Each structure stands twice: as structure tokens, then as C-alpha cells.
Amino acid sequence: MSKVVVVMPTYNEAENVEKIVPELLNILRNSGWTASILVVDDSSPDGTADIAEEIGRKIGGVIVLRRGGKLGLGSAYIDGFKYVIGNMPNVDYVCEMDADGSHPPEVLPKMLEIAEKEKYDLVIGSRYVEGGKWSEKSIYRIIVSKTANILGRISTGMKIKDMTSGYRVIRKSILEKIIDKLTELHSGYVFQVQLLYLLYKTGARIHEYPFTFMPRIYGKTKLGYREIFSYFKWCLKTFMERIVS
Ligand SMILES: Nc1nc2c(ncn2[C@@H]2O[C@H](COP(=O)(O)OP(=O)(O)OP(=O)(O)O)[C@@H](O)[C@H]2O)c(=O)[nH]1
Ligand SMILES: [Mg+2]
């Protein structure tokens, strides 16, 4: 079976990491994958990094990348990807996953299996294809997400339904081609759409796999106006570039 690494950015996810890291490793290993988790932690005050390391000492398969401070989700993924590309030559698939329980770990082997079988370069865990669900109670978040997807589709011309999803399987060999073009360091939404667009433009074969997005288990939720504004700006810029080119 192919080798898999799950890059998991964390900021104050101590309780979540304690649950999700062992659960995910078990599920992947039981499905026959040689798997490890790369936790990219931004000096979480709640000790997330120490907890992740402790789990690694007990069951193996956990690498913790400690960064100096909260530098943003995009930059956490970029550092994580660069670490994998530079240090883990045998890895075939690099996955993205949140630590907060929103991405049910039992779906990942299915996403990997379809990537392997159908030779997809990118499999997106999707709330918006048939069979996908989002049990979100906040109307505000639903409106923001739906609008973000519509804007993302108009600006990039892509047909993907869940453009901002952060649950993904990416073939490492195609990630290597675009890693140096990733520039969106702070906003999670913008980073995910830029990554998707770069992969698409480089010819990636993309598939959306349905899953049920769960509300975060522990910890605080945060989706601010700054994030929404920078997303809007990115869409406008991308749209202009696309129509003049
Ligand atoms: N290393 C790092 N991880 C981050 C940063 N911001 C968010 N994360 C992690 O990225 C993942 C996604 O962030 P979330 O806060 O869950 O974002 P969200 O799902 O849009 O919003 P909520 O779940 O409602 O808070 C989680 O595992 C976070 O801990 C950051 O600046 N640095
Ligand atoms: Mg979340």
C-alpha cells in the first residue's frame, strides 16, 4: 500500500488532538495504509504540541512541527508540505485535515482508496455533492460558505462544488509542482481556493467525495470579517486576471 501523511495544523486543539490523532492513525493502519500525522502547531498555549508528541511516543507515527507563534493556516500548510517534500521521500499522498473533529477520520481511507484506484491527483471531501452534508446551525456560516463557493467558481471558472473544503487527499508528485506558487499565508479560505486553483491549472485530475461535516467538538469557533474581505479581494483579483489573459 502507498504511504500517506496527514498534515494537521493546530492552534489550541489539545482536547481534540488527544482524540483525533490516535483515532485517525488506527483507522488508516487498519485499512492497510502506512500512515503518519504531521502536526503543525503554532506554539499553542494549551500545550497541543506536547500532547501530540506524547501520543507519538506511545503509538508512533506522529511528527510535530513547532512554530514560533500563530502564523496562519495557509503558512502552516505550506511549512507542513515543504517538510513532507524535503524529508519524506517515500510518501505518495499528502492529506489536509482539521484537528477539531469536523472531518470524520473514517472517510479518509475511502478518499485515499478512490485516489489510488481512479488515479485522481486530488480528492476533496465535499459537503456539496450528492451524499454530502453539513450539520451547521449558524445561518451566518452557511451563507458565508455558499457565497464563498459561488464567488470562487465565478472567479476561477472551475466547476468544483466545495472549493473551500479543508479535507483533501493530494498526490505528492503534483503538489511538488505548485508548492512554490502558494502565497496565501493567513486566511484559510483563500489558501484552500488558491491551492485548488493552482492544482487545477497544472492539470490535476480532481474528484469530490461526499462526507458529513461535523461541528467542532471542543474549542472556540472563529470566522471574522477580515477573512471574508480577503477572500472577496482574492476572487476579484483572480477574476480580473482570468478575463484579461
Ligand atoms: N498551525 C496553525 N493552525 C491553525 C491556525 N488557524 C487555524 N488552525 C487550525 O486549522 C484547522 C482549521 O481551523 P478552524 O479554526 O477549525 O477553522 P474553521 O473550521 O473555519 O472554523 P471553526 O471550526 O468554526 O473554528 C484547525 O485544526 C485549527 O486548529 C494557525 O494560524 N496556525
Ligand atoms: Mg473547524
Side-chain angles (χ1 to χ4, degrees), residues 48-228:
T48 302
D50 293 339
I51 290 171
E53 262 174 8
E54 185 55 36
I55 297 168
R57 269 192 290 276
K58 283 188 194 140
I59 60 171
V62 182
I63 305 158
V64 180
L65 205 62
R66 293 173 184 258
R67 308 199 309 162
K70 194 171 187 316
L71 301 170
L73 182 68
S75 85
Y77 268 123
I78 294 167
D79 282 356
F81 292 162
K82 285 188 175 160
Y83 180 90
V84 175
I85 290 167
N87 299 283
M88 304 174 87
N90 296 325
V91 162
D92 303 290
Y93 297 103
V94 186
C95 309
E96 291 187 337
M97 186 171 171
D98 290 355
D100 62 359
S102 292
H103 299 148
E106 63 277 9
V107 181
L108 198 58
K110 297 177 189 155
M111 290 165 60
L112 283 160
E113 202 176 301
I114 199 160
E116 182 105 320
K117 230 163 140 185
E118 306 291 334
K119 308 258 178 296
Y120 288 119
D121 301 307
L122 169 64
V123 177
I124 304 171
S126 176
R127 293 161 288 182
Y128 301 137
V129 288
E130 209 187 318
K133 283 193 201 77
W134 190 17
S135 53
E136 175 61 59
K137 288 187 185 69
S138 155
I139 300 288
Y140 166 73
R141 285 192 62 126
I142 292 173
I143 292 173
V144 169
S145 170
K146 296 261 180 190
T147 312
N149 272 286
I150 293 168
L151 283 177
R153 279 195 291 276
I154 295 171
S155 62
T156 61
M158 298 177 66
K159 301 273 188 291
I160 304 295
K161 294 207 166 72
D162 200 342
M163 315 223 6
T164 54
S165 170
Y167 201 8
R168 296 172 172 177
V169 169
I170 311 165
R171 190 177 298 282
K172 194 182 82 181
S173 56
I174 197 145
L175 185 61
E176 281 168 344
K177 294 187 189 169
I178 57 104
I179 183 77
D180 292 328
K181 295 183 187 158
L182 289 164
T183 53
E184 299 297 336
L185 306 182
H186 301 292
S187 154
Y189 263 38
V190 184
F191 170 77
Q192 297 297 2
V193 176
Q194 184 188 45
L195 171 59
L196 175 58
Y197 191 40
L198 287 169
L199 291 169
Y200 167 79
K201 284 197 293 184
T202 206
R205 293 191 67 228
I206 304 173
H207 179 71
E208 287 186 83
Y209 188 87
F211 85 105
T212 302
F213 187 97
M214 309 300 286
R216 82 169 22 254
I217 310 174
Y218 303 102
K220 275 204 301 242
T221 175
K222 48 213 170 284
L223 179 64
Y225 292 113
R226 243 179 66 186
E227 178 111 348
I228 294 171

